[in-house]
Amino acid sequence: MNAVTGTWIKVGELADIPKQGARCIDAGELTIAIFRGANDEVFALEDKCPHKNGPLSQGIVHDGCVTCPLHNWVISLATGEAQGADEGATRSFDVKIDNGAVLLNANGLS
Amino acid sequence: MTKKKLVIIGNGMAPGRMLEDLFDLAPDAYDVTIFNAEPRVNYNRLMLSPVLSGEKTYQDIITHDDDWYAEHDVTLHKAAMVRDIDRNAKVVRSETGIEASYDKLLIATGSDPIVIPLPGHDLEGVVTYRDLDDVELMLSAAKTKNRAVVIGGGLLGLEAAAGLKEQGMAVTVLHLAPTLMERQLDEAAGHLLERAFEDRDIKVLTKANTHEIIGKDGKVAAVKLDDGTELEADLVCMAVGIRPSTHLAAEAGLDCGRGILVDDLMQTNDPDILALGECVEHRGLCYGLVAPLYEMATVIAKNLAGDSASYSGSVTATKLKVTGVDLYSAGDFAEAADREEIVLRDATGGVYKRLVLKDNKIIGAVLYGETSDGPWFFDLLKKQTDISEMRETLIFGQAYQGSEPLDPMAAVAALPGDAEICGCNGVCKSKITDAITDKGLTNLDEVRAHTKASSSCGTCTGLVEQLMSLTLGDAYNPNAITPMCGCTDLGHSDVRRLIKAKGLKSIPEVMQALEWRTGSGCAKCRPALNYYLVCDWPDEYADDYQSRFINERVHANIQKDGTYSIVPRMWGGQTSSKELRAIADAVDKFNIPTVKVTGGQRIDMLGIKKEDLPAVWADLGKAGFVSGHAYAKGLRTVKTCVGTDWCRFGTQDSTGLGVRIEKFMWGSWTPAKVKMAVSGCPRNCAEATCKDVGVICVDSGFELHFAGAAGLDIKGTEILGHVKTEDEALEHIVAVVQMYREQGHYLERIYKWAKRIGYDEVRRQIMDDAEKRKAYYDRFVFSQKFAQIDPWDERVSGKDKHEFQPMATLSLEAAE
Ligand code: SRM
Ligand SMILES: Cc1cc2nc3c(=O)[nH]c(=O)nc-3n(C[C@H](O)[C@H](O)[C@H](O)COP(=O)(O)OP(=O)(O)OC[C@H]3O[C@@H](n4cnc5c(N)ncnc54)[C@H](O)[C@@H]3O)c2cc1C
Ligand code: SF4
Ligand code: FES
């Protein structure tokens, strides 16, 4: 439905991302991490932990969250918010799968 | 709005608490700068005694680590003693030349230990007991020295004595008064305490006035008493009291009595200068315990945040933190005409309790041997409750009030919501139970994190656990095995056993069969399960890279800025011009910013961009390098010394054996990292006696060591045994590592595993049972068939290519 609006950009194939893993999109200043969950759900977050900018794309993905590789904060993939006693949030972006292609909503990008 | 500048002098427990409160109330109101004379962050001074006795380490007692200061934008100048305060210019200056101007200044310089100016007080080997440096001095003295004399039988002196005893020294306590801790205890309890110390083989001399400390070659040799007695000593700890540290404030012209004088708002006579902690005098009193200081801290934080609060003084209670000695005292217990007392003695049980009453109210309490009613008595004391109704049974404690005796749980249940549970942090019962229910807390650590209860001296831990049982019911069982993580109730040992017993061969299979509560686990259990499966089914299990931490996934160490470092193997610490040239070329070609010799006898290249890793490895691979696994829960390094090749003392070819071990064992995964070393003679230049596994070569063969550590904990190795030939040495070492691989809990180093299962058990299986040893050895050799593949080479050949490249590059125009 949204595909026709032109704000969704194809950034790769679902198959390019390992299950329970992530790949990065370079968008100039911004690096966006696209995560793929155990059941092929996808999420997009800025690749920067709200704690000390750790690259979230390098973390372990589990149950809708990613654990940051630097100091183990747990970040929700859906909202970008830190879980548990930690506080902070990372930017999240809309992303979806269409026929195996990963589409990122460009509206949030600038 | 520009932030106001708050400068704090002293980084002790009181200002630490004040800042926590302030950041809760007004996180952005102040720009905070702290000067601290000590060269470190804020730690829990109360816990120095457990560090001295070896029950805890410095790491365990840190309250605010460097990250905390960074997170709160606090500038902390360590090792920066403030020398003067210029009140006109509103500037403070440290002796290291750092200046800071303030809108508000908080002086929190604590106290100084009193040093009696006896002859000899400045000899080497005379220490006080106040900070971590003192503890470190005592610990290092205990390693080489035998006899300690502690001057002072108060709280600090006794804790120091018990700690030094634990460190293996022969200890004598000298105390001036006729009984120990006479300020907190009455005579009877003082005697009981003396006996308890003598039972632990600590000598106590009361009415002992020190005359001089006798030295020899500038070092302590003996302590001489007024009556002529001489006690040999190589360490003297003076713990005779503290004096509020007012020097700096007095120099700046602030009013001082015994301490820095403050009003109920904690202000000095300069309205922009506040004072806090042991350095202050408030309504004629100076305090030497944290509970009142924390109350002051809260008052200051509120006022700084713009609320209004005032401090009206505190009543204090004392506990002695010597494992196995239960002691509680509060209030005033001197005898006087208008006072009555109730005493309970149970000689066989070693219990003594005394309550001092005035006008039917408790004004003092001393409990020895059984202290669980301490908080209840203290509550009655603070609230000045009329006790006439329960007078007959009062001394038996709360359990005996009302019609029937209650069990201890019911006694805790009966405590009022505002009863104080944690004296150090002033946490009352309802705060703990509310936090447990509101925040869904289920274990002690969580309760500590959220309420601070039981996080200082720890003596209230039992009470807090009882509250948890009451609030959580059966859901809380303090004796239960610690579960691997929140996804399961099973502990590591059970999971390892069940993986074998049920033949579980993949992570989803384990989670299914063992009823994991989460769909795909978490960052704690997944790496652990992956290791257990790799170890147990080397030929069948397909390693799940998504369950490994990033370092093990990309075979390099992630750095704080997201770049990586790599450390190639240099077998046994040996290298060559060809290898060094290859490293130099790679450094130039890829602009690698830092090259460093590691503590593990090899070279680290730091700051490499992730995309460049495969290319760097390709170049290094051409020179014969393989990954050094500096990132792995696996075999790290085998350090060696030069041995018989060169050294005039070498007894065996230590370098050769080290290289042989490393080549045999590299690539293997282990529960936690494994570091080894081989030294050519007992001079031990390769530091083999602090490694997971170490070898000391001797004329008659090889002395095998295991279970050492030199990281978070420092621990000398245990001896595994002696063997005659190199082949035997290798077989034994491999076997002990395989035994650990099969039994260790994930992230448990060899020294912890060995302690858990018993050193003798390890020796029995490896040294005495040749068949077992051979079986371990064979299983290791089998698993190496699947492990000795250079991960760098694999990735140069294209494995996991996706890890090293972005999936797409967007230019922002494309988004329009
Ligand atoms: C590079 C090196 C420091 C150096 O410049 O010398 C180093 C660097 C790190 N050490 Fe270490 N350790 C290094 C030798 C040591 C040593 C000394 C030794 O091995 O002889 C020790 C004490 C010995 C011991 O382990 O008992 C040591 C005890 C630790 C510890 C504490 C481990 C413990 O169980 O107590 C950690 C933390 C951990 O593993 O959880 C640690 C963790 C780290 C980490 C991995 C921290 C991290 O998670 O990022 C550092 C990685 C830096 C990097 O990216 O390269 N490092 N580390 C040394 C690499 C040796 C090598 O060639 O592989
Ligand atoms: C071994 C030991 C055991 C204890 N056990 C207990 C216990 O069980 N229960 C209890 O309630 N209390 C206990 N105490 C007492 C408790 O630790 C103190 O009451 C508390 O730490 C005092 O806090 P503070 O912030 O006032 O001072 P401190 O914690 O002493 O901090 C003062 C800091 O200021 C620094 N400083 C001083 N002058 C300057 C300057 N000019 N410039 C810069 N920095 C300066 C000092 O180096 C020090 O780090 C114990 C104390 C010790 C030493
Ligand atoms: S290299 Fe080791 S000691 Fe140095 S900062 Fe890192 S972990 Fe700490
Ligand atoms: S940067 Fe992510 S947890 Fe610290």
Side-chain angles (χ1 to χ4, degrees):
Chain A
M1 298 158 270
N2 285 325
V4 289
T5 65
T7 53
W8 291 93
I9 321 166
K10 177 173 173 186
V11 290
E13 302 285 336
L14 182 64
D16 295 338
I17 313 173
K19 258 192 208 281
Q20 299 193 303
R23 293 291 300 275
C24 291
I25 309 292
D26 271 348
E29 298 281 276
L30 195 67
T31 303
I32 298 168
I34 314 272
F35 297 88
R36 174 176 174 187
N39 305 312
D40 290 346
E41 61 282 28
V42 286
F43 305 93
L45 297 180
E46 182 174 2
D47 195 19
K48 246 185 179 179
C49 177
H51 178 220
K52 292 195 175 167
N53 299 340
L56 295 174
S57 57
Q58 321 283 295
I60 289 184
V61 177
H62 52 93
D63 277 18
C65 293
V66 59
T67 295
C68 177
L70 293 196
H71 319 96
N72 298 330
W73 279 31
V74 177
I75 310 296
S76 156
L77 292 175
T79 65
E81 277 167 27
Q83 306 291 294
D86 299 319
E87 278 175 36
T90 234
R91 280 175 73 187
S92 70
F93 302 89
D94 287 335
V95 65
K96 64 178 182 182
I97 302 293
D98 187 20
N99 239 335
V102 181
L103 303 180
L104 181 70
N105 190 322
N107 281 339
L109 282 188
S110 43
Chain B
M1 203 182 77
T2 57
K3 290 193 195 176
K4 286 209 216 127
K5 283 177 285 192
L6 171 65
V7 171
I8 303 177
I9 305 176
N11 194 30
M13 301 188 65
R17 172 54 60 85
M18 194 289 291
L19 286 177
E20 285 181 13
D21 288 349
L22 179 63
F23 293 144
D24 278 348
L25 295 169
D28 298 315
Y30 293 88
D31 210 349
V32 182
T33 303
I34 310 177
F35 287 86
N36 196 28
E38 288 188 60
R40 53 184 73 88
V41 292
N42 198 342
Y43 60 95
N44 185 344
R45 197 174 300 284
L46 274 58
M47 295 311 256
L48 286 176
S49 296
V51 173
L52 179 61
S53 67
E55 289 161 70
K56 290 214 163 8
T57 64
Y58 169 60
Q59 292 299 327
D60 297 332
I61 68 166
I62 290 177
T63 328
H64 296 144
D65 57 11
D66 285 309
D67 288 348
W68 187 89
Y69 294 97
E71 268 160 44
H72 292 91
D73 271 334
V74 172
T75 311
L76 169 62
H77 298 296
K78 299 178 195 168
M81 160 90 87
V82 171
R83 273 293 170 204
D84 70 288
I85 304 172
D86 181 340
R87 285 168 56 196
N88 294 325
K90 292 182 127 191
V91 168
V92 303
R93 207 166 292 113
S94 77
E95 72 185 348
T96 46
I98 307 169
E99 286 194 2
S101 64
Y102 63 85
D103 297 308
K104 285 275 177 201
L105 177 66
L106 177 64
I107 303 181
T109 44
S111 328
D112 300 316
I114 294 177
V115 177
I116 324 172
L118 296 168
H121 71 271
D122 46 6
L123 287 166
E124 190 185 323
V126 181
V127 297
T128 52
Y129 190 17
R130 180 72 197 169
D131 59 23
L132 187 71
D133 296 330
D134 298 329
V135 171
E136 282 174 350
L137 263 175
M138 287 193 263
L139 283 176
S140 76
K143 286 214 178 93
T144 53
K145 311 226 155 100
N146 302 321
R147 280 163 313 228
V149 169
V150 176
I151 306 181
L155 179 96
L156 288 190
L158 293 178
E159 290 190 3
L164 290 169
K165 180 78 206 171
E166 284 294 311
Q167 295 299 334
M169 296 189 84
V171 184
T172 307
V173 177
L174 303 179
H175 192 52
L176 190 56
T179 57
L180 294 175
M181 285 183 77
E182 77 286 356
R183 290 222 308 239
Q184 291 90 4
L185 296 184
D186 59 5
E187 240 174 77
H191 281 300
L192 284 171
L193 184 59
E194 187 175 328
R195 222 174 48 214
F197 270 72
E198 294 197 321
D199 286 348
R200 310 175 157 221
D201 218 10
I202 295 173
K203 218 161 122 194
V204 178
L205 298 181
T206 52
K207 295 190 241 171
N209 202 2
T210 313
H211 188 78
E212 73 169 299
I213 302 173
I214 301 170
K216 199 176 153 202
D217 307 330
K219 292 188 188 134
V220 169
V223 175
K224 186 170 175 190
L225 306 184
D226 274 354
D227 66 7
T229 316
E230 268 194 38
L231 300 158
E232 285 181 57
D234 336 272
L235 175 74
V236 172
C237 175
M238 257 203 222
V240 291
I242 52 172
R243 187 181 291 129
S245 171
T246 56
H247 183 71
L248 179 69
E251 292 251 292
L254 298 172
D255 292 342
C256 295
R258 221 157 71 74
I260 304 169
L261 296 176
V262 294
D263 61 15
D264 287 359
L265 300 174
M266 304 305 297
Q267 276 181 0
T268 64
N269 57 314
D270 179 332
D272 289 325
I273 305 185
L274 303 157
L276 166 66
E278 282 189 347
C279 60
V280 311
E281 176 175 337
H282 172 264
R283 297 194 188 175
L285 291 176
C286 295
Y287 294 96
L289 293 168
V290 287
L293 312 183
Y294 284 173
E295 287 175 36
M296 297 175 191
T298 307
V299 168
I300 293 184
K302 284 190 180 151
N303 289 332
L304 285 175
D307 293 349
S308 69
S310 69
Y311 176 68
S312 54
S314 312
V315 198
T316 56
T318 310
K319 293 178 216 165
L320 182 72
K321 302 183 303 298
V322 172
T323 310
V325 181
D326 283 325
L327 185 85
Y328 189 96
S329 97
D332 177 1
F333 35 80
E335 285 175 37
D338 59 346
R339 298 174 177 187
E340 300 166 81
E341 56 179 27
I342 308 177
V343 175
L344 172 84
R345 287 178 210 271
D346 169 0
T348 41
V351 173
Y352 168 81
K353 300 185 185 182
R354 175 159 167 256
L355 297 175
V356 181
L357 310 178
K358 189 175 164 183
D359 303 332
N360 281 322
K361 288 167 193 152
I362 299 180
I363 61 165
V366 181
L367 308 178
Y368 186 92
E370 211 290 303
T371 55
S372 56
D373 279 312
W376 184 63
F377 291 133
F378 190 46
D379 195 49
L380 297 174
L381 182 152
K382 281 204 293 194
K383 290 192 186 135
Q384 287 293 288
T385 312
D386 188 314
I387 52 85
S388 359
E389 295 277 286
M390 44 185 170
R391 211 187 143 103
E392 295 302 303
T393 51
L394 184 65
I395 192 84
F396 299 112
Q398 191 187 13
Y400 287 85
Q401 309 313 317
S403 49
E404 263 157 59
L406 298 167
D407 68 64
M409 278 299 253
V412 178
L415 283 176
D418 60 352
E420 186 174 89
I421 300 293
C422 171
C424 295
N425 292 291
V427 188
C428 68
K429 176 179 159 184
S430 62
K431 186 163 173 202
I432 298 172
T433 48
D434 289 353
I436 295 173
T437 20
D438 297 352
K439 307 220 161 82
L441 311 181
T442 54
N443 64 49
L444 190 60
D445 284 340
E446 288 173 356
V447 173
R448 286 189 177 133
H450 284 273
T451 66
K452 301 234 155 37
S454 146
S455 65
S456 292
C457 80
T459 45
C460 63
T461 306
L463 277 176
V464 174
E465 288 193 320
Q466 284 177 337
L467 281 179
M468 295 185 63
S469 307
L470 275 173
T471 320
L472 295 170
D474 291 342
Y476 179 67
N477 173 6
N479 299 323
I481 352 145
T482 327
M484 266 177 83
C485 64
C487 307
T488 176
D489 294 329
L490 297 170
H492 285 268
S493 298
D494 287 327
V495 171
R496 288 212 80 167
R497 188 174 44 76
L498 290 165
I499 286 177
K500 286 292 240 189
K502 295 183 181 251
L504 307 174
K505 295 190 179 165
S506 73
I507 292 179
E509 216 181 315
V510 173
M511 291 183 176
Q512 186 61 33
L514 307 185
E515 300 179 357
W516 241 240
R517 278 193 289 270
T518 47
S520 55
C522 70
K524 271 193 186 152
C525 58
R526 285 240 307 275
L529 294 179
N530 190 56
Y531 166 71
Y532 296 154
L533 294 165
V534 164
C535 173
D536 289 344
W537 318 111
D539 50 340
E540 293 170 75
Y541 177 63
D543 201 323
D544 175 20
Y545 269 78
Q546 295 313 131
S547 294
R548 287 191 178 272
F549 290 114
I550 182 66
N551 288 358
E552 291 187 350
R553 202 156 77 223
V554 299
H555 296 274
N557 291 59
I558 194 165
Q559 305 294 310
K560 58 192 251 188
D561 61 355
T563 62
Y564 286 81
S565 80
I566 61 172
V567 187
R569 277 201 191 277
M570 285 182 172
W571 310 100
Q574 276 190 315
T575 185
S576 64
S577 59
K578 176 176 160 240
E579 285 186 350
L580 292 173
R581 203 167 283 124
I583 289 180
D585 288 343
V587 166
D588 286 345
K589 179 163 159 196
F590 295 96
N591 273 321
I592 297 173
T594 297
V595 186
K596 180 176 182 307
V597 174
T598 73
Q601 295 189 340
R602 47 203 196 159
I603 291 176
D604 194 358
M605 287 165 262
L606 300 108
I608 304 177
K609 287 194 280 300
K610 197 178 182 193
E611 308 84 271
D612 287 343
L613 287 173
V616 177
W617 291 331
D619 284 7
L620 293 176
K622 282 179 207 142
F625 280 119
V626 298
S627 166
H629 293 88
Y631 44 80
K633 310 289 171 238
L635 181 81
R636 295 277 177 99
T637 52
V638 182
K639 286 173 60 162
T640 69
C641 71
V642 285
T644 39
D645 274 358
W646 295 97
C647 179
R648 63 204 164 106
F649 295 118
T651 60
Q652 309 280 352
D653 178 12
S654 50
T655 323
L657 176 57
V659 172
R660 187 169 163 200
I661 297 172
E662 191 171 358
K663 292 209 158 151
F664 199 86
M665 300 188 75
W666 75 276
S668 64
W669 299 104
T670 41
K673 52 194 173 188
V674 172
K675 299 175 180 181
M676 306 199 196
V678 186
S679 284
C681 84
R683 288 171 190 76
N684 192 16
C685 299
E687 300 166 328
T689 50
C690 63
K691 294 287 177 272
D692 297 287
V693 180
V695 181
I696 304 278
C697 301
V698 286
D699 281 326
S700 59
F702 305 84
E703 200 175 81
L704 306 179
H705 289 245
F706 73 119
L712 298 166
D713 291 319
I714 303 220
K715 194 186 155 302
T717 44
E718 302 290 322
I719 294 196
L720 182 64
H722 180 277
V723 294
K724 290 204 184 66
T725 66
E726 224 186 79
D727 290 348
E728 286 172 296
L730 186 72
E731 181 178 301
H732 284 72
I733 291 168
V734 165
V736 78
V737 171
Q738 179 66 15
M739 183 175 172
Y740 161 66
R741 293 184 75 228
E742 292 175 12
Q743 301 181 356
H745 295 172
Y746 192 62
L747 299 185
E748 183 180 53
R749 291 284 289 265
I750 287 194
Y751 71 103
K752 292 192 174 155
W753 159 75
K755 187 163 176 221
R756 177 162 61 79
I757 68 159
Y759 304 126
D760 284 337
E761 181 57 23
V762 179
R763 285 184 202 110
R764 200 182 60 70
Q765 297 200 19
I766 303 300
M767 299 307 301
D768 307 342
D769 190 337
E771 217 170 294
K772 268 232 153 78
R773 177 174 69 239
K774 189 75 185 39
Y776 281 129
Y777 178 87
D778 289 344
R779 287 200 289 276
F780 183 86
V781 171
F782 177 70
S783 78
Q784 282 299 78
K785 284 209 279 198
F786 312 93
Q788 283 196 332
I789 300 160
D790 177 29
W792 289 354
D793 185 48
E794 278 185 299
R795 276 149 194 82
V796 171
S797 320
K799 185 173 165 112
D800 289 343
K801 230 196 269 149
H802 62 83
E803 279 287 0
F804 304 95
Q805 289 155 7
M807 181 162 68
T809 304
L810 302 181
S811 64
L812 277 184
E813 287 76 43
E816 293 304 309

